[in-house]
Amino acid sequence: MKEQDFILKSYDATIKQGAVKWESPSNIALVKYWGKKEHQIPENPSISFTLSNCKTITKLTYTKKESRDFSFEVFFEGEKNEAFKPKIKTFFERIEEYVPFLKEYHFKIETSNTFPHSSGIASSASGMSALALCLMSIEEQLTNAVTSSVVEKSFFNKKASFLARLGSGSACRSIEGELVVWGGNKSTESSDLYGVKYEGEVHANFKDYQDTILLVDKGEKQVSSTVGHKLMFGHPFAQERFAQARNNLSELKEIFASGDLKAFIKIVESEALTLHAMMMTSMPYFILMKPNTLEIINKIWKFREETNSNVCFTLDAGANVHVLYPYNEKEAVLGFIEKELASFCQNEHYICDYIGLGANQIED
Ligand code: PMV
């Protein structure tokens, strides 16, 4: 599909008001997206596990209005929130062409996260995807009124992902589960414009895969991902990195089919460290890992060597560590985390999550 296919052409804007509600999860990339072109077009394809427990719940109430400006208010965890408004306004400006009813309504956005606000877990993926899904439900309500044909599920999901991408790139991978690919590539049916459910064969070893998120640093990131992506322009290793990501994705495809966990670990850990290596070798350079991030990585390597476990780690653009492991190792790995890793987390805090099926609409 092309960008033009997502422009909403006819709808009934005489509808006075309504409300929709969605919960949408976070996701964790296995092959990382780092570096983009204009309009949030990724330089390389990425693939992620959709999570289950870490999610954003957003209710969007819309009321017909007269003026032709954007009008919205935001409530975060029950309190009026001004800080989120500039990001949402930018999002609205970027997507207005595709959802032209935006200026015809006043929106009340009520949102909350299931994970603690200052946990260092980025809420942009779950937050932007939840908002995009709410807008798609409104689009559905406004179009159902003028045409008898229903908005097809696959179009709904693609456009929700397309809109979410314009809010925050990785948010486009949060609509569906369990594995989502985003970015054009030879080996999967995917697009630069939106994320799609990975349709290749997936071995039972990856069923119910676990992700325990170790909260090493709950503070604000010193460098935003927007700035980080920009630093890939003119980065001396950029082209090699983009080629490596493409290659890793096609290798992962075979690994998903064969269930080869040792090969999976090599790619996933290398991706995480390469992401951070790109940060350390950009100009200006920066480091988002903390001493405890490295302590944890070394402990994981030691545990794996001693026990032949299939536990591994990945990292986001931050200091927290995502500990990934198969479901059948849950008891052993959770015991290890409690005994040996929890002390490296802020207030010994970690969040147990696992691979999920994607976003859900909530009847209010
Ligand atoms: O979606 P953004 O622009 O915040 O970028 C996210 C980038 C990483 O989380 C570091 C990697 C990824 O693919 O999710």
Side-chain angles (χ1 to χ4, degrees):
M1 289 185 83
K2 304 182 300 296
E3 265 124 330
Q4 288 81 344
D5 300 329
F6 292 117
I7 299 175
L8 172 62
K9 297 207 178 70
S10 65
Y11 58 96
D12 178 3
T14 61
I15 294 180
K16 292 272 179 299
Q17 64 198 29
V20 292
K21 194 171 180 182
W22 277 86
E23 56 171 30
S24 188
S26 184
N27 69 74
I28 180 69
L30 303 170
V31 171
K32 309 288 181 184
Y33 146 63
W34 198 243
K36 62 179 167 185
K37 302 173 197 154
E38 245 196 316
H39 308 304
Q40 315 269 89
I41 296 297
E43 288 278 10
N44 64 261
S46 56
I47 188 164
S48 50
F49 275 152
T50 302
L51 297 182
S52 289
N53 293 335
C54 291
K55 56 195 176 195
T56 297
I57 299 147
T58 299
K59 179 176 176 184
L60 192 56
T61 308
Y62 59 104
T63 319
K64 187 82 183 158
K65 67 170 179 65
E66 288 306 321
S67 68
R68 298 287 301 162
D69 286 320
F70 293 123
S71 166
F72 63 92
E73 53 191 334
V74 188
F75 292 83
F76 178 63
E77 279 158 14
E79 308 259 318
K80 200 157 187 152
N81 183 297
E82 295 298 321
F84 290 163
K85 285 184 92 174
K87 212 171 172 190
I88 295 173
K89 179 144 186 279
T90 306
F91 177 51
F92 279 6
E93 283 163 357
R94 283 188 195 154
I95 63 170
E96 194 200 352
E97 191 186 344
Y98 307 101
V99 274
F101 55 82
L102 278 186
K103 283 187 178 155
E104 299 185 42
Y105 291 95
H106 171 77
F107 295 98
K108 183 178 181 194
I109 306 169
E110 291 167 277
T111 188
S112 60
N113 296 331
T114 55
F115 48 90
H117 182 45
S118 349
S119 58
I121 297 184
S123 59
S124 58
S126 54
M128 284 298 174
S129 54
L131 189 52
L133 284 157
C134 286
L135 290 169
M136 277 311 292
S137 285
I138 297 176
E139 170 167 328
E140 195 171 40
Q141 292 178 359
L142 302 188
T143 48
N144 282 354
V146 282
T147 121
S148 50
S149 62
V150 285
V151 178
E152 260 188 54
K153 186 85 189 140
S154 97
F155 175 80
F156 186 101
N157 283 345
K158 278 191 185 128
K159 184 165 174 185
S161 173
F162 172 86
L163 297 176
R165 183 197 102 239
L166 291 165
S168 168
S170 58
C172 79
R173 297 187 313 237
S174 276
I175 309 294
E176 292 182 88
E178 304 175 83
L179 281 158
V180 176
V181 202
W182 167 41
N185 67 92
K186 284 197 221 104
S187 53
T188 60
E189 290 281 317
S190 72
S191 163
D192 280 348
L193 299 179
Y194 47 83
V196 291
K197 188 175 161 65
Y198 176 68
E199 296 289 5
E201 191 187 341
V202 181
H203 191 278
N205 282 352
F206 296 102
K207 196 173 157 32
D208 298 324
Y209 226 72
Q210 304 289 303
D211 178 7
T212 300
I213 309 163
L214 307 183
L215 306 178
V216 171
D217 184 24
K218 303 185 191 178
E220 281 274 305
K221 277 191 275 182
Q222 303 121 309
V223 181
S224 71
S225 54
T226 309
V227 171
H229 286 292
K230 281 207 183 109
L231 292 174
M232 287 303 279
F233 278 114
H235 190 295
F237 309 135
Q239 295 314 317
E240 284 80 357
R241 160 62 197 152
F242 303 145
Q244 178 202 42
R246 282 189 279 274
N247 198 42
N248 280 344
L249 178 60
S250 50
E251 282 191 25
L252 262 189
K253 206 184 156 207
E254 282 165 34
I255 293 168
F256 284 133
S258 70
D260 183 345
L261 293 175
K262 299 291 176 216
F264 175 78
I265 291 170
K266 272 194 195 153
I267 291 194
V268 169
E269 292 191 344
S270 161
E271 275 289 320
L273 294 178
T274 304
L275 169 71
H276 284 258
M278 290 298 113
M279 299 170 188
M280 289 190 243
T281 48
S282 62
M283 194 55 80
Y285 42 80
F286 58 102
I287 301 180
L288 295 185
M289 287 187 282
K290 297 281 180 205
N292 282 352
T293 312
L294 294 180
E295 294 283 0
I296 290 168
I297 291 174
N298 281 310
K299 289 267 179 197
I300 290 175
W301 285 343
K302 188 160 174 274
F303 179 76
R304 203 160 68 213
E305 212 176 284
E306 287 169 0
T307 64
N308 200 30
S309 160
N310 289 301
V311 66
C312 73
F313 71 87
T314 189
L315 305 166
D316 250 340
N320 294 338
V321 182
H322 288 249
V323 184
L324 301 177
Y325 48 99
Y327 180 74
N328 63 7
E329 294 188 25
K330 190 170 169 181
E331 214 185 303
V333 175
L334 281 178
F336 159 64
I337 289 173
E338 192 50 43
K339 193 161 152 255
E340 296 200 42
L341 304 184
S343 57
F344 296 110
C345 301
Q346 260 191 6
N347 309 117
E348 310 219 342
H349 194 178
Y350 57 88
I351 295 176
C352 293
D353 211 336
Y354 55 93
I355 201 168
L357 296 175
N360 291 307
Q361 185 162 15
I362 303 172
E363 297 303 330
D364 217 13

